[in-house]
Coordinates of all heavy atoms in Angstrom, one line a residue:
D74 N 47.7 -40.7 -46.3 CA 46.6 -41.0 -45.4 C 47.0 -42.3 -44.6 O 46.6 -42.4 -43.4 CB 45.3 -41.3 -46.2 CG 44.8 -40.0 -46.8 OD1 45.2 -38.9 -46.3 OD2 44.1 -40.1 -47.8
L75 N 47.7 -43.2 -45.2 CA 48.1 -44.4 -44.5 C 49.1 -44.2 -43.5 O 49.0 -44.7 -42.4 CB 48.6 -45.4 -45.6 CG 48.9 -46.8 -45.1 CD1 47.6 -47.5 -44.8 CD2 49.7 -47.6 -46.2
L76 N 50.1 -43.3 -43.8 CA 51.2 -43.0 -42.8 C 50.7 -42.1 -41.6 O 51.2 -42.2 -40.5 CB 52.3 -42.4 -43.5 CG 53.1 -43.2 -44.5 CD1 54.2 -42.4 -45.2 CD2 53.6 -44.5 -43.9
L77 N 49.7 -41.3 -41.9 CA 49.2 -40.4 -40.9 C 47.9 -41.0 -40.1 O 47.3 -40.2 -39.4 CB 48.8 -39.1 -41.5 CG 50.0 -38.2 -42.0 CD1 49.5 -37.0 -42.7 CD2 51.0 -37.9 -40.9
W78 N 47.6 -42.2 -40.4 CA 46.5 -42.9 -39.7 C 45.2 -42.2 -39.9 O 44.4 -42.1 -38.9 CB 46.8 -43.1 -38.2 CG 48.0 -44.0 -37.9 CD1 49.3 -43.7 -38.1 CD2 48.0 -45.3 -37.5 NE1 50.1 -44.7 -37.7 CE2 49.3 -45.7 -37.3 CE3 47.0 -46.2 -37.1 CZ2 49.7 -47.0 -36.9 CZ3 47.3 -47.5 -36.6 CH2 48.6 -47.9 -36.6
R79 N 44.9 -41.7 -41.1 CA 43.6 -41.2 -41.4 C 42.5 -42.3 -41.4 O 41.5 -42.0 -40.9 CB 43.6 -40.5 -42.8 CG 44.6 -39.3 -42.9 CD 44.0 -38.1 -42.2 NE 44.7 -36.9 -42.5 CZ 45.7 -36.4 -41.8 NH1 46.1 -37.0 -40.7 NH2 46.3 -35.3 -42.1
N80 N 42.9 -43.4 -41.9 CA 42.1 -44.6 -41.8 C 42.8 -45.6 -40.9 O 43.7 -46.3 -41.3 CB 41.8 -45.2 -43.2 CG 40.7 -46.3 -43.1 OD1 40.4 -46.8 -42.1 ND2 40.1 -46.5 -44.3
K81 N 42.3 -45.7 -39.6 CA 43.1 -46.5 -38.6 C 43.0 -48.0 -38.9 O 44.0 -48.7 -38.6 CB 42.4 -46.2 -37.2 CG 42.6 -44.8 -36.8 CD 42.0 -44.6 -35.4 CE 42.2 -43.2 -34.9 NZ 41.7 -43.0 -33.5
K82 N 42.0 -48.5 -39.6 CA 41.9 -49.9 -39.9 C 43.0 -50.3 -40.9 O 43.7 -51.3 -40.8 CB 40.5 -50.3 -40.4 CG 39.4 -50.2 -39.3 CD 38.1 -50.6 -39.9 CE 37.0 -50.6 -38.8 NZ 35.7 -51.0 -39.4
K83 N 43.1 -49.5 -42.0 CA 44.1 -49.8 -43.0 C 45.5 -49.7 -42.5 O 46.4 -50.5 -42.8 CB 43.9 -48.9 -44.2 CG 42.6 -49.2 -45.0 CD 42.6 -48.2 -46.2 CE 41.3 -48.5 -47.1 NZ 41.3 -47.6 -48.3
S84 N 45.8 -48.6 -41.7 CA 47.1 -48.5 -41.2 C 47.5 -49.6 -40.2 O 48.6 -50.1 -40.2 CB 47.2 -47.1 -40.5 OG 46.9 -46.0 -41.4
A85 N 46.5 -50.0 -39.4 CA 46.8 -51.0 -38.4 C 47.0 -52.4 -39.1 O 47.8 -53.2 -38.8 CB 45.6 -51.1 -37.4
C86 N 46.2 -52.6 -40.2 CA 46.4 -53.9 -41.0 C 47.7 -53.9 -41.6 O 48.4 -55.0 -41.7 CB 45.3 -54.0 -42.0 SG 43.6 -54.4 -41.3
T87 N 48.1 -52.8 -42.3 CA 49.4 -52.7 -42.9 C 50.6 -53.0 -41.9 O 51.5 -53.8 -42.2 CB 49.6 -51.4 -43.6 OG1 48.5 -51.1 -44.5 CG2 50.9 -51.3 -44.4
L88 N 50.5 -52.3 -40.8 CA 51.6 -52.5 -39.8 C 51.5 -53.9 -39.2 O 52.6 -54.5 -38.9 CB 51.4 -51.5 -38.7 CG 52.5 -51.3 -37.7 CD1 53.8 -51.0 -38.3 CD2 52.2 -50.3 -36.6
G89 N 50.3 -54.5 -39.1 CA 50.2 -55.8 -38.6 C 50.8 -56.9 -39.5 O 51.5 -57.8 -39.1
V90 N 50.5 -56.7 -40.8 CA 51.1 -57.6 -41.8 C 52.6 -57.5 -41.9 O 53.3 -58.5 -41.9 CB 50.5 -57.3 -43.2 CG1 51.2 -58.1 -44.3 CG2 49.0 -57.7 -43.2
A91 N 53.1 -56.3 -41.8 CA 54.6 -56.1 -41.8 C 55.2 -56.8 -40.5 O 56.3 -57.4 -40.6 CB 54.9 -54.6 -41.8
T92 N 54.5 -56.7 -39.4 CA 55.0 -57.3 -38.2 C 55.0 -58.8 -38.3 O 55.9 -59.5 -37.8 CB 54.1 -56.8 -37.0 OG1 54.1 -55.4 -36.9 CG2 54.7 -57.3 -35.6
V93 N 54.0 -59.4 -38.8 CA 53.9 -60.8 -39.0 C 55.0 -61.3 -39.9 O 55.7 -62.3 -39.6 CB 52.5 -61.2 -39.6 CG1 52.5 -62.7 -40.0 CG2 51.4 -61.0 -38.5
V94 N 55.2 -60.6 -41.0 CA 56.3 -61.0 -41.9 C 57.7 -60.9 -41.2 O 58.5 -61.8 -41.4 CB 56.3 -60.1 -43.2 CG1 57.5 -60.4 -44.1 CG2 55.0 -60.4 -44.0
W95 N 57.9 -59.8 -40.5 CA 59.2 -59.7 -39.8 C 59.3 -60.8 -38.7 O 60.4 -61.4 -38.6 CB 59.2 -58.3 -39.1 CG 60.5 -58.2 -38.2 CD1 61.7 -57.9 -38.7 CD2 60.5 -58.3 -36.8 NE1 62.6 -57.9 -37.6 CE2 61.8 -58.1 -36.4 CE3 59.5 -58.5 -35.8 CZ2 62.2 -58.1 -35.1 CZ3 59.9 -58.6 -34.5 CH2 61.2 -58.4 -34.1
A96 N 58.3 -61.2 -38.0 CA 58.3 -62.2 -37.0 C 58.6 -63.6 -37.6 O 59.3 -64.4 -37.1 CB 57.0 -62.2 -36.2
L97 N 58.0 -63.8 -38.8 CA 58.2 -65.1 -39.5 C 59.7 -65.3 -39.9 O 60.2 -66.4 -39.7 CB 57.3 -65.2 -40.7 CG 55.9 -65.6 -40.5 CD1 55.1 -65.5 -41.8 CD2 55.7 -67.0 -39.9
F98 N 60.3 -64.2 -40.4 CA 61.7 -64.4 -40.9 C 62.7 -64.2 -39.8 O 63.8 -64.8 -39.9 CB 61.9 -63.4 -42.0 CG 61.2 -63.7 -43.3 CD1 60.1 -63.1 -43.7 CD2 61.6 -64.7 -44.1 CE1 59.4 -63.4 -44.9 CE2 61.0 -65.1 -45.3 CZ 59.9 -64.4 -45.7
E99 N 62.5 -63.4 -38.8 CA 63.5 -63.1 -37.8 C 63.3 -63.9 -36.5 O 64.3 -64.5 -36.0 CB 63.4 -61.6 -37.5 CG 63.9 -60.7 -38.6 CD 65.4 -60.9 -39.0 OE1 66.2 -61.2 -38.1 OE2 65.7 -60.9 -40.2
M100 N 62.1 -64.0 -36.0 CA 61.9 -64.7 -34.8 C 61.8 -66.2 -35.0 O 62.4 -67.0 -34.2 CB 60.7 -64.1 -34.0 CG 60.8 -62.6 -33.7 SD 59.4 -62.0 -32.9 CE 59.5 -62.8 -31.3
I101 N 61.0 -66.6 -35.9 CA 60.8 -68.0 -36.2 C 61.9 -68.6 -37.1 O 62.0 -69.8 -37.3 CB 59.4 -68.3 -36.8 CG1 58.3 -67.7 -35.8 CG2 59.1 -69.8 -37.0 CD1 56.9 -67.8 -36.4
E102 N 62.6 -67.7 -37.7 CA 63.7 -68.0 -38.7 C 63.2 -68.7 -39.9 O 63.7 -69.8 -40.3 CB 64.8 -68.8 -38.0 CG 65.5 -68.0 -36.9 CD 66.6 -68.8 -36.2 OE1 66.8 -70.0 -36.6 OE2 67.4 -68.2 -35.4
Y103 N 62.1 -68.2 -40.4 CA 61.5 -68.8 -41.6 C 62.3 -68.2 -42.8 O 62.6 -67.0 -42.8 CB 60.1 -68.4 -41.7 CG 59.2 -69.3 -42.5 CD1 59.0 -70.6 -42.2 CD2 58.5 -68.8 -43.6 CE1 58.2 -71.5 -42.9 CE2 57.7 -69.6 -44.3 CZ 57.5 -70.9 -44.0 OH 56.7 -71.8 -44.8
H104 N 62.5 -69.0 -43.9 CA 63.3 -68.6 -45.0 C 62.4 -68.2 -46.2 O 61.3 -68.7 -46.3 CB 64.3 -69.7 -45.4 CG 65.3 -70.0 -44.4 ND1 66.3 -69.2 -44.0 CD2 65.3 -71.1 -43.5 CE1 67.0 -69.8 -43.0 NE2 66.4 -71.0 -42.7
L105 N 62.9 -67.3 -47.0 CA 62.1 -66.8 -48.1 C 61.8 -67.9 -49.1 O 60.7 -68.0 -49.6 CB 62.8 -65.6 -48.7 CG 62.2 -65.0 -49.9 CD1 60.8 -64.4 -49.6 CD2 63.0 -63.9 -50.6
L106 N 62.8 -68.7 -49.4 CA 62.6 -69.8 -50.4 C 61.5 -70.8 -49.9 O 60.6 -71.2 -50.7 CB 63.9 -70.5 -50.7 CG 63.8 -71.6 -51.8 CD1 63.4 -71.0 -53.1 CD2 65.2 -72.3 -51.9
S107 N 61.5 -71.1 -48.6 CA 60.5 -72.0 -48.1 C 59.1 -71.4 -48.1 O 58.1 -72.0 -48.4 CB 60.9 -72.3 -46.6 OG 62.2 -73.0 -46.6
L108 N 59.1 -70.0 -47.8 CA 57.8 -69.4 -47.9 C 57.2 -69.4 -49.3 O 56.0 -69.6 -49.5 CB 57.9 -67.9 -47.4 CG 56.7 -67.1 -47.4 CD1 55.6 -67.6 -46.5 CD2 57.0 -65.6 -47.0
L109 N 58.0 -69.1 -50.3 CA 57.6 -69.1 -51.7 C 57.1 -70.5 -52.1 O 56.0 -70.6 -52.8 CB 58.7 -68.6 -52.7 CG 59.1 -67.2 -52.5 CD1 60.3 -66.9 -53.4 CD2 57.9 -66.3 -52.9

Side-chain angles (χ1 to χ4, degrees):
D74 294 337
L75 189 67
L76 295 177
L77 294 175
W78 293 76
R79 295 286 191 266
N80 191 340
K81 295 182 179 180
K82 291 182 179 180
K83 289 184 179 179
S84 300
C86 289
T87 305
L88 190 59
V90 170
T92 305
V93 169
V94 172
W95 174 78
L97 281 175
F98 287 104
E99 290 297 325
M100 299 180 67
I101 307 176
E102 295 183 356
Y103 205 61
H104 299 286
L105 179 62
L106 184 60
S107 301
L108 179 63
L109 292 176

